[in-house]
Amino acid sequence: GSPPPKYSAYLEFMTAVRVFMENRQADSRVYAERAIALDSTFVNAYSLLAVTYTNVGLFDQAERVVDRLESQRQRLSSYDRLHLDFLRANNRYVADDILPLLQQLYARSGDPLMSYLIGFWALRVLRPDLALPALQAADSAQTAVGWVGQARDVAIAQHQLGDYRAELAALERGTRLVPRGAPGYRSTRLRAFAGLGDSAAAVALADTLLREQNDPNLTVAAGNVHFGAREFEAHGDTLAAARLRRMTLAWFHGHATPTPSIARQALLGYAWFDLRQYDSAAVYLRAAARDTGNNAVTAAGYLGVIAAATGDTAGALAVADSLSRQTRKWDLGLSTWWRAAIVANLGQRDLALQLLTEARRKGQAMNFCHYHTALRPLRGYRPFEDMIQPRK
């Protein structure tokens, strides 16, 4: 295992953990940095610090943290060197590389955090059979420290397993035991309602969520309803999906603003896209394309799919070619995923599956492919359905 850290470093680290669990991850960095300054081989402090950056997409900063720990490799125990290898893999987001390292770490330490992380990463590659036992093993520890992701991920595992009542039960338990996560647990019930086919409950919840949201540029509630609609469509209830989408658009129309945020423009584009109102969607997505990084790639990808869906093959291929030349260091397979979506809408289903497989190898999750409307042409295609089938 790891040698014990200096006690002064341990105290700083425990403060960092407490602040992190209060969902003030950026604020926890100063305490993690103090812990590292007091003990330069305290691996857990590096780990927490790196995660505060990867969780918000700041991969360059996370890489610098891992590089600092790498410089201490010769002073680390064999277990801590394995932990360092995990941190390096974690920064690339490739679940298939991360999971074996986590399984080794858990086997050697029994650390419930490692068990939780096995569950978290297994869900990204549709392995609820692996995720749920791991999450259950970590449950008491993660719940005790107030980690909101514990109940969230148990619910996702139950959804992937098709046990939607157990999904609701997990969210209700999370609400009781970790009240700070209650707003997120409540909105996530839309996904369970989709599995249960309970459109009445979904509409009532969506109405409540939207009524509580007044800031025209704060799109959390509208986004939750939007993704709930996608789940209903994925479960075959297109009428409920359409109703939820109309509710989302009505909220936007009732909360107009002369200074729309890019996030608002993007979500409006997605909503119109889902309704196949491609001209309207393109207006908002072009505005959203002014963003940078992954958000710009996503907006461009949608525009490429729109071109393909409306018969503009040349325009669609131009976007796909542009994405193939994407050289951003931390693209993590996103450009490849959108190339898959574009060619799927051009009728090239086998090529789309090849690109989806490549996107997974580069770091893209697979747990949202079943409901993503950009992949509609692949639904019902047996090889795709096999690809997105959770292992039970």
Side-chain angles (χ1 to χ4, degrees):
S2 307
K6 292 179 180 178
Y7 186 61
S8 56
Y10 174 76
L11 293 177
E12 294 289 351
F13 171 71
M14 292 308 297
T15 301
V17 170
R18 176 180 57 80
V19 174
F20 183 101
M21 292 299 177
E22 292 172 353
N23 205 28
R24 296 189 289 129
Q25 295 189 22
D27 293 340
S28 73
R29 291 171 188 157
V30 62
Y31 303 103
E33 288 283 12
R34 288 176 188 169
I36 293 168
L38 290 164
D39 188 339
S40 60
T41 62
F42 189 6
V43 173
N44 284 352
Y46 288 94
S47 182
L48 184 142
L49 181 60
V51 166
T52 68
Y53 291 118
T54 57
N55 280 355
V56 290
L58 299 174
F59 293 97
D60 281 323
Q61 290 89 325
E63 186 176 52
R64 284 194 284 271
V65 173
V66 178
D67 287 344
R68 287 162 59 190
L69 181 57
E70 185 71 50
S71 70
Q72 303 292 326
R73 178 179 281 274
Q74 297 306 313
R75 299 175 60 200
L76 301 179
S77 69
S78 61
Y79 178 84
D80 284 343
R81 288 196 294 273
L82 184 62
H83 196 154
L84 170 56
D85 292 339
F86 155 68
L87 290 178
R88 185 72 72 188
N90 188 75
N91 220 34
R92 296 193 301 272
Y93 262 50
V94 181
D96 295 312
D97 294 340
I98 292 168
L99 280 168
L101 294 169
L102 285 171
Q103 289 169 319
Q104 292 180 61
L105 288 166
Y106 182 62
R108 291 183 57 174
S109 68
D111 184 347
L113 175 60
M114 298 304 164
S115 188
Y116 165 76
L117 290 172
I118 290 171
F120 173 84
W121 285 102
L123 291 173
R124 289 175 59 91
V125 288
L126 301 171
R127 289 293 309 276
D129 61 319
L130 178 61
L132 187 58
L135 292 168
Q136 289 170 335
D139 189 82
S140 59
Q142 294 301 103
T143 302
V145 297
W147 176 233
V148 297
Q150 175 65 24
R152 174 200 66 200
D153 293 340
V154 170
I156 293 172
Q158 296 290 12
H159 189 86
Q160 290 187 3
L161 289 167
D163 193 341
Y164 309 120
R165 296 203 180 280
E167 178 183 7
L168 283 175
L171 296 171
E172 290 165 1
R173 180 174 181 267
T175 300
R176 291 196 311 273
L177 299 179
V178 187
R180 183 165 46 82
Y185 301 147
R186 182 177 60 157
S187 61
T188 306
R189 294 181 186 200
L190 288 168
R191 182 185 59 217
F193 292 152
L196 292 168
D198 193 345
S199 59
V203 168
L205 176 56
D207 182 66
T208 300
L209 294 172
L210 293 170
R211 286 180 184 276
E212 292 175 350
Q213 191 78 76
N214 293 314
D215 186 334
N217 279 323
L218 187 60
T219 59
V220 174
N224 287 328
V225 176
H226 163 73
F227 286 109
R230 287 188 167 182
E231 282 285 358
F232 268 93
E233 180 180 315
H235 285 275
D237 192 340
T238 56
L239 292 178
R243 183 170 181 182
L244 291 172
R245 286 165 182 149
R246 289 195 297 271
M247 292 173 68
T248 303
L249 288 172
W251 181 86
F252 277 115
H253 295 158
H255 296 77
T257 173
T259 55
S261 66
I262 288 181
R264 177 188 169 97
Q265 302 280 60
L267 188 53
L268 270 165
Y270 306 158
W272 284 116
F273 176 90
D274 287 2
L275 289 167
R276 294 184 171 86
Q277 299 295 313
Y278 296 130
D279 288 344
S280 296
V283 171
Y284 293 105
L285 289 165
R286 289 190 191 101
R290 296 196 300 267
D291 207 345
T292 58
N294 286 351
N295 293 332
V297 171
T298 296
Y302 270 107
L303 290 169
V305 170
I306 289 172
T310 55
D312 182 6
T313 302
L317 290 175
V319 175
D321 288 344
S322 175
L323 291 173
S324 71
R325 296 191 296 272
Q326 177 61 255
T327 58
R328 290 185 311 110
K329 182 178 181 181
W330 301 112
D331 181 73
L332 303 176
L334 183 63
S335 297
T336 304
W337 193 95
W338 277 106
R339 287 170 59 205
I342 292 170
V343 299
N345 281 270
L346 289 172
Q348 301 177 44
R349 296 187 297 186
D350 289 338
L351 176 57
L353 293 185
Q354 293 174 27
L355 290 170
L356 286 175
T357 301
E358 181 183 342
R360 170 175 170 163
R361 287 198 301 266
K362 291 180 176 180
Q364 282 298 292
M366 299 298 292
N367 57 341
F368 62 91
C369 292
H370 70 285
Y371 67 70
H372 205 297
T373 49
L375 298 180
R376 278 170 172 157
L378 295 178
R379 291 178 185 168
Y381 183 48
R382 188 61 187 216
F384 175 69
E385 297 296 338
D386 290 343
M387 173 183 283
I388 64 170
Q389 181 64 37
R391 190 179 300 182
K392 300 181 180 180

